[in-house]
Each structure stands twice: as structure tokens, then as C-alpha cells.
Amino acid sequence: MSIKIENLRYVYSQKTPFEKVALDDITMEIEDGDFFGIIGHTGSGKSTLVTHFNALTRVQSGKIFLGEIDLTPKKIDFKKVRSTVGMVFQYPEYQLFAETVEKDVEFGCKNLGLSKEECSERVRRAIELVGLDYESVKDRSPFELSGGQKRRVALAGVLSMRPNILVLDEPTAGLDPRGKREIMGLIESVRVDCPTTVMISHNMDEVAGYCDKVAVMSGGKLYGIFTPSELFSQKELLEDLGLAMPKVTALAEKLRERGFDIARGIVRPEVLVSEIERALSS
């Protein structure tokens, strides 16, 4: 399912001394099946933008469409919208609350008004989809689990609602390198069920390694939309925006400075290895 945004503008504390423009004339389209990254410094408008997608933040000016669902009217079907867009917030493990994993994961299903049998089937599948053994964890308290397991349970709670679009706000924040790899691998695997993914991240390695397209935001405005290769090949642009290069791209840049004939815009390790082998053999 696609997301179309037209001339979206949002202002906090309107008509007060604290008025602040959070989004200024944003127009973009996230196509069905995209793994779409959104980057920018704190305060650039990223979170305000994505909370519009499931109507946590309502449209003040402009338009948003989730496929054929128009989010502009004052009265919308919130249940339909929130079963269409699954939102996983930063540090989702802090939002766990139920006494067992099973009850926590089924909360969203029950709010959709599904039958007990349908909920049970969805909960089992969602827990297994995030790599946990259903029988082993279903009766455990979510607060007894490891940090990585808690994050998986929180994701399962969203997946049990079977959204068409998955929105992730800093999904690997606070995790060690192994945990980051596990969560990103998990997100890749669940795209079979939820192909359109939107991810906010400050981790340029994750953005480069997983996203098809990247929107760059600055001061509430959309600077542009790029492929990872297009974005990370522009060293001066990254410096102007205060954005870091992915480690792979930075290493390729260093090799070029040392005289190696390495292509620009490399964002994946396997591509850099091939480029080094080519440069050494020429």
C-alpha cells in the first residue's frame, strides 16, 4: 500500500507565543513495497511526519492518502487506519504492560474486535514470526525477558494486527551491535507479511544497507528523496547537512584518496569487496 502526501503543513501551539512550524509543505510518495528511510537531525520533523500516517497526529493543512484511505477529513475510521498502519515507537519495550507475553501481543487484535479464535491464531503467528517460540514464551511475563526479546514481543503486538504498512522509529536504538543486526534481520524477514516499511533512523549504516529510498528532512522541510547510492556519494551535501557517511562508504572514500580506482556511492560491503578486487587486478 502506498502513502501519498500533498503539501502537508503542521504547526505546534498555533496562535501562541510558542508557535512552531514542524512540517512545512511536505509532498512525497512512498510506493507500495518500498523500504523507505527518513533521516534528519532531531527537530527536523521526522516523528511528526510519521505519526500522521496512523492519525496519532491529525492533518491540519494538506492531504495524506493511505492507498484509497483519505486521512484529511475530521471524521475517519480510526480502527481501519490503525489496522492498516502498524507503528513501532522508539524503545517499544517500555510500552509492554500485560502480565503475559500472549496477552500483550493480543491487545491490538482484541481492539480490532476480532473473534477469540482469530486473535489466538494471529498471536501465535506473530510471536513465531519474530523468532520466538510460542509455547515457551506465551505464559511468561514480558518483563522477565531480555531487552532484545522484549523488542520482539513489542513488534509481535503490532504484527498481530496485520498492517499493510509498518512504521519504525529508531528500531535499533540502545541495542548492542549483535542486537542491531538481529532486529534489522527480523524486520527484513517480516516484510513478507508487511512489504511497505518506513524507518526513521540516525544510523546511516542501517539506512544504507536496508532502505530503497531515503527522504532527507531539515528544519521541517523535505530536502530531497534519494537512493542510498545517490545520497551517500555526495560528500559535500552530507557535510552541509551534518550527516555522517556509512562506514562502508567512508572506507571507499579513504581508498579513493589513497589512489584506488573505487566507484562512488558504495553502500554495501559486498560491493566494496568486488570493487577492491577489481582495482587490485587492473
Side-chain angles (χ1 to χ4, degrees):
M1 180 176 285
S2 66
I3 304 173
K4 294 183 180 180
I5 305 162
E6 300 175 2
N7 307 113
L8 185 67
R9 178 178 169 84
Y10 190 85
V11 181
Y12 286 108
S13 304
Q14 293 187 78
K15 299 178 181 179
T16 76
F18 305 102
E19 182 172 294
K20 176 179 171 55
V21 178
L23 298 174
D24 190 2
D25 197 27
I26 304 293
T27 296
M28 68 165 74
E29 180 174 358
I30 300 170
E31 296 179 350
D32 184 36
D34 277 349
F35 197 135
F36 195 94
I38 302 177
I39 64 174
H41 288 295
T42 300
S44 61
K46 305 183 301 297
S47 294
T48 303
L49 175 62
V50 300
T51 53
H52 275 82
F53 298 166
N54 73 341
L56 283 176
T57 302
R58 297 305 314 276
V59 175
Q60 287 181 347
S61 176
K63 296 180 179 180
I64 301 180
F65 296 91
L66 307 174
E68 299 300 319
I69 304 172
D70 186 354
L71 298 183
T72 308
K74 290 185 178 180
K75 291 185 177 181
I76 61 174
D77 186 342
F78 286 99
K79 186 178 291 186
K80 183 176 182 180
V81 170
R82 289 169 186 170
S83 64
T84 298
V85 179
M87 185 82 68
V88 182
F89 295 99
Q90 190 173 4
Y91 299 108
E93 58 269 29
Y94 294 159
Q95 296 157 27
L96 302 174
F97 65 93
E99 60 187 27
T100 69
V101 168
E102 185 174 44
K103 289 181 178 180
D104 210 298
V105 175
E106 77 176 359
F107 179 77
C109 285
K110 293 177 72 174
N111 282 345
L112 293 178
L114 301 174
S115 68
K116 184 176 181 180
E117 292 74 18
E118 175 72 5
C119 271
S120 295
E121 188 275 327
R122 287 192 178 201
V123 168
R124 176 185 284 273
R125 169 149 176 82
I127 289 173
E128 292 174 348
L129 197 61
V130 299
L132 297 174
D133 181 75
Y134 173 76
E135 294 296 338
S136 298
V137 302
K138 68 183 181 70
D139 295 321
R140 292 182 63 184
S141 166
F143 306 106
E144 296 175 353
L145 303 177
S146 68
Q149 289 174 322
K150 288 178 181 177
R151 200 158 294 193
R152 288 170 184 256
V153 170
L155 179 57
V158 172
L159 294 176
S160 70
M161 300 174 72
R162 297 190 177 171
N164 300 104
I165 299 165
L166 182 63
V167 180
L168 306 153
D169 190 350
E170 298 285 354
T172 64
L175 297 178
D176 60 25
R178 179 179 177 181
K180 291 177 188 289
R181 289 193 299 271
E182 289 179 352
I183 290 297
M184 291 308 302
L186 174 61
I187 291 166
E188 275 281 271
S189 68
V190 302
R191 294 190 68 215
V192 174
D193 282 27
C194 187
T196 304
T197 303
V198 181
M199 179 177 74
I200 292 175
S201 182
H202 285 96
N203 188 314
M204 296 301 105
D205 295 293
E206 292 170 1
V207 171
Y210 293 93
C211 295
D212 308 311
K213 300 171 186 173
V214 187
V216 180
M217 296 190 66
S218 179
K221 294 180 178 291
L222 175 64
Y223 186 90
I225 297 175
F226 309 84
T227 66
S229 293
E230 289 170 344
L231 176 61
F232 295 119
S233 65
Q234 302 181 63
K235 185 178 180 181
E236 292 182 359
L237 171 60
L238 294 172
E239 289 175 350
D240 289 344
L241 295 172
L243 298 172
M245 278 188 178
K247 293 183 179 66
V248 170
T249 311
L251 177 56
E253 186 71 19
K254 290 291 184 182
L255 290 171
R256 273 194 301 275
E257 291 173 1
R258 296 293 182 91
F260 284 84
D261 180 20
I262 302 292
R264 292 186 178 276
I266 294 174
V267 295
R268 297 183 183 274
E270 62 272 18
V271 177
L272 179 57
V273 170
S274 296
E275 280 291 293
I276 292 171
E277 291 174 345
R278 181 190 57 77
L280 291 174
S281 63
S282 61

